[in-house]
Amino acid sequence: MSASSLTAEAVWKDIESTRSVTDDQLSILHFLFGKNFERATRIVDQRGVKRISGEPSGRFVFQVVGESRRKEEYFCFAENYCACYSFFYDIVNRGEQLCCKHQLAARLALSLGAFIEVKVSDEQLAVLLSKL
C-alpha cells in the first residue's frame, strides 16, 4: 500500500469513529484526491449514495449517482471497483488517480453514515451484481 493510501485509510477510520469530518481531514483528503474529492462531497451532500445490502448475509454494494445531466447511477465497491468510465480510463489504464469520485463518495458516505440504505434479498443482490 502506498503512503497516500495509508494516509487516506487513517483519515477514513478517524471520520468513521466520530461520524463527522473536520476541516483538517477535508484538507488532507482534498490534497490526496483533488477535484475527485470535491465532486464526491457534492454527491454525498445531494444524498446521491445508496448502499444496497443483501439479507441475511449483509453483503453490500454502493449505487452512486453521477453528476451529468443524465444522472447515471454506477455500482461500486468503495475500495476497489467502480463501473464508471473514469475508473477504467484514469485509474486502471493510465494510473493517474487513486480512485474515482463515485468510490470517494461511497467511502465518505459510509464513514459518515450518510447513505440511503436499501435492503434486498441475497438473491436480488446476486442478480444485480451479475449485471456488472
Side-chain angles (χ1 to χ4, degrees):
M1 212 180 229
S2 71
S4 296
S5 296
L6 290 171
T7 301
E9 189 60 34
V11 173
W12 292 127
K13 287 184 180 187
D14 285 346
I15 294 169
E16 194 169 328
S17 70
T18 62
R19 292 283 194 220
S20 64
V21 61
T22 66
D23 287 342
D24 286 345
Q25 291 166 329
L26 287 173
S27 293
I28 292 167
L29 293 171
H30 185 268
F31 177 79
L32 293 172
F33 300 111
K35 288 187 180 190
N36 276 351
F37 185 70
E38 290 175 29
R39 293 174 179 135
T41 59
R42 282 196 297 269
I43 292 169
V44 173
D45 287 345
Q46 295 169 0
R47 308 270 304 148
V49 180
K50 293 178 190 170
R51 183 172 80 170
I52 303 172
S53 301
E55 294 288 324
S57 72
R59 293 184 181 105
F60 61 88
V61 64
F62 289 98
Q63 187 174 26
V64 182
V65 71
E67 287 188 303
S68 71
R69 289 184 194 151
R70 291 178 286 181
K71 295 290 185 189
E72 294 110 346
E73 293 182 322
Y74 301 99
F75 289 107
C76 72
F77 297 96
E79 295 176 13
N80 51 24
Y81 173 80
C82 184
C84 75
Y85 176 77
S86 177
F87 179 80
F88 289 100
Y89 187 71
D90 293 330
I91 295 140
V92 176
N93 288 341
R94 294 179 17 187
E96 292 183 354
Q97 300 287 330
L98 294 172
C99 52
C100 72
K101 65 186 173 192
H102 309 107
Q103 290 174 284
L104 289 170
R107 189 67 194 263
L108 182 60
L110 180 64
S111 296
L112 292 171
F115 51 84
I116 298 166
E117 182 75 51
V118 178
K119 296 198 183 277
V120 298
S121 70
D122 282 330
E123 292 80 15
Q124 290 170 309
L125 183 61
V127 169
L128 247 175
L129 294 175
S130 72
K131 295 177 183 178
L132 291 179

